[in-house]
Amino acid sequence: MSREDLLTMADTASSEPIQLVAPDGTRHRHAAFDAMLADVNDDAVADLYVDMVAVRRIDTEATALQRQGELALWPPLLGQEAAQVGSARALREDDFVFTSYRENGVAYCRGVDLDDLLTVWRGNASSGWDPYGINMATPQIIIGAQTLHATGYAMGVKFDGGTQASVAYFGDGAITQGDVNEALAFAASYQAPVVFFCQNNQWAISEPVGLQTRVPIAQRADGFGIEHLRIDGNDVLATMAATRMALERARAGDGPTFIEAVTYRMGPHTTADDPTRYRDAAELEEWKEKDPITRIEAYLHTRGMAVDGFREAAQHRADDVAEKLRHGITTMADPEWQAVFENVYAEDHSWLERQREQYGRYQDLFSSDAEGKA
């Protein structure tokens, strides 16, 4: 990537987010970003639309399952579909992904089994899936901790002479965490092939992003000497182009890139949250006008695509995904109680054995024999 391109990237941090598709479907031109999408024709854009519809349906179905008592908790991503689908579809299979708990759209694109997507939220497993099966770590609950994991992985790739990249997804609420700042420092020092993908959804639970930073989040990368991009996170084409650009830099040995995807969480932080207690209803209505799915549908309409046809196809895909999701979670067998003690330590020790024995005696209180004696 040329010096001019790098300067162009840095300039974007202090300006309006880069946008390729406006909310009304109008296509804007951007020379560097358009070059990254040279192979993305109208059919490929329609595929991204179908992905986003399916991801939104997963979100809706999981929320319903939580309300019906099938899940303990669910972190919705409503409104962030473009940021997740566009970036995830830019990755290669051998790249490695590290996320927080809200990147269910990324997990869907990486091929996570639908049952595994919800297992941990039902409390049936300590984690979700085999990370090495799809090159994606299981969700990190500790805010920002995965940025260190992604940086360490990228440093290993560089030391081994590989061409893969790692990607760390996190939200605006993580940017003031020590882990994130340590990860940025290490990534810059070692020029690690890692992409930091920050979804600025405007709210860290009930705290607005303005309380955390007085400058655009992307500008923080300046202090670490990391190149950065600030994009419209509700624009799936801008998101894909930016991620491809960052990955290209990583593979070329040009070091880390920080992407701020400006988006909006239209739902609650989790199903245990009530955003009406801290968020103005007018703000939500304003962002609904920037919906990532309706805008790409409007764009495809301007391209003369048969919108009704691919809208119906997308709905069928979403219905199928929702049916499999619900069937999987409602027929899932409960784990044996002993499973909670597995994979905690490499080897058993006396304290663990004592806890297992005590918990076993507690479980016996609920056995049929105990009931008979009572």
Side-chain angles (χ1 to χ4, degrees):
M1 185 165 289
S2 69
R3 173 70 176 165
E4 288 71 22
D5 285 337
L6 295 182
L7 289 173
T8 300
M9 291 173 70
D11 287 344
T12 67
S14 58
S15 59
E16 286 296 308
I18 296 175
Q19 183 184 82
L20 298 184
V21 180
D24 66 357
T26 301
R27 180 72 160 87
H28 299 307
R29 293 297 169 188
H30 185 286
F33 272 39
D34 286 346
M36 290 289 151
L37 301 174
D39 62 325
V40 181
N41 59 24
D42 290 343
D43 288 335
V45 177
D47 288 341
L48 294 173
Y49 169 84
V50 173
D51 281 340
M52 288 194 290
V53 172
V55 167
R56 180 166 292 188
R57 183 58 184 275
I58 288 172
D59 207 50
T60 304
E61 196 69 19
T63 300
L65 285 165
Q66 194 281 326
R67 298 305 190 206
Q68 293 162 9
E70 299 290 348
L71 302 178
L73 189 72
W74 178 251
L77 61 81
L78 180 65
Q80 299 179 220
E81 296 86 355
Q84 297 197 16
V85 170
S87 58
R89 289 303 185 198
L91 299 171
R92 281 191 340 207
E93 286 187 9
D94 61 348
D95 294 328
F96 212 102
V97 181
F98 298 83
T99 72
S100 74
Y101 43 80
R102 200 182 301 283
E103 280 72 37
N104 303 300
V106 177
Y108 171 77
C109 292
R110 294 298 280 179
V112 170
D113 187 270
L114 291 172
D115 290 351
D116 291 341
L117 188 64
L118 298 184
T119 302
V120 71
W121 300 108
R122 188 174 172 84
N124 275 29
S126 300
S127 192
W129 53 80
D130 175 7
Y132 299 106
I134 56 171
N135 280 357
M136 178 174 177
T138 51
Q140 176 58 257
I141 300 296
I142 301 170
I143 303 300
Q146 72 277 14
T147 57
L148 285 169
H149 306 158
T151 300
Y153 187 93
M155 290 168 61
V157 169
K158 182 172 182 177
F159 295 155
D160 290 343
T163 61
Q164 312 96 313
S166 68
V167 181
Y169 285 87
F170 52 99
D172 50 284
I175 59 171
T176 46
Q177 289 282 35
D179 283 1
V180 175
N181 289 272
E182 291 163 11
L184 292 169
F186 264 90
S189 296
Y190 288 89
Q191 288 295 282
V194 55
V195 178
F196 296 99
F197 194 94
C198 176
Q199 293 177 85
N200 174 10
N201 69 12
Q202 312 300 318
W203 289 92
I205 308 183
S206 59
E207 299 293 344
V209 67
L211 284 181
Q212 292 198 80
T213 179
R214 295 186 179 278
V215 298
I217 291 173
Q219 284 189 23
R220 290 197 169 198
D222 266 339
F224 297 93
I226 293 178
E227 298 299 337
H228 40 73
L229 293 163
R230 189 165 194 253
I231 60 171
D232 184 337
N234 282 13
D235 177 352
V236 71
L237 294 187
T239 305
M240 172 176 276
T243 310
R244 283 183 168 186
M245 188 177 289
L247 291 169
E248 185 177 285
R249 293 193 69 245
R251 301 192 207 291
D254 292 335
T257 303
F258 188 105
I259 298 174
E260 179 192 358
V262 181
T263 181
Y264 192 74
R265 163 169 60 80
M266 291 201 284
H269 173 68
T270 70
T271 46
D273 174 42
D274 177 9
T276 63
R277 299 181 64 181
Y278 56 81
R279 197 167 65 182
D280 190 336
E283 178 182 290
L284 176 60
E285 292 304 312
E286 179 183 345
W287 277 92
K288 282 182 178 179
E289 298 296 320
K290 305 173 185 176
D291 188 289
I293 293 179
T294 56
R295 85 165 59 182
I296 209 64
E297 185 175 310
Y299 166 70
L300 289 169
H301 184 72
T302 68
R303 299 288 298 168
M305 297 282 284
V307 175
D308 290 343
F310 67 71
R311 186 191 293 129
E312 184 177 351
Q315 191 60 50
H316 285 158
R317 167 84 71 82
D319 289 344
D320 181 58
V321 166
E323 182 179 350
K324 290 177 179 175
L325 196 72
R326 175 169 288 274
H327 179 266
I329 204 68
T330 56
T331 60
M332 190 174 292
D334 291 337
E336 297 294 332
W337 64 262
Q338 295 89 344
V340 74
F341 297 97
E342 296 173 355
N343 304 313
V344 179
Y345 295 96
E347 298 177 0
D348 274 6
H349 53 77
S350 59
W351 278 94
L352 189 66
E353 292 170 357
R354 186 181 304 171
Q355 289 176 47
R356 184 188 292 116
E357 186 272 332
Q358 289 175 343
Y359 192 57
R361 283 192 280 115
Y362 172 73
Q363 289 291 326
D364 287 343
L365 297 175
F366 302 98
S367 68
S368 57
D369 289 345
E371 290 176 359
K373 291 175 183 177

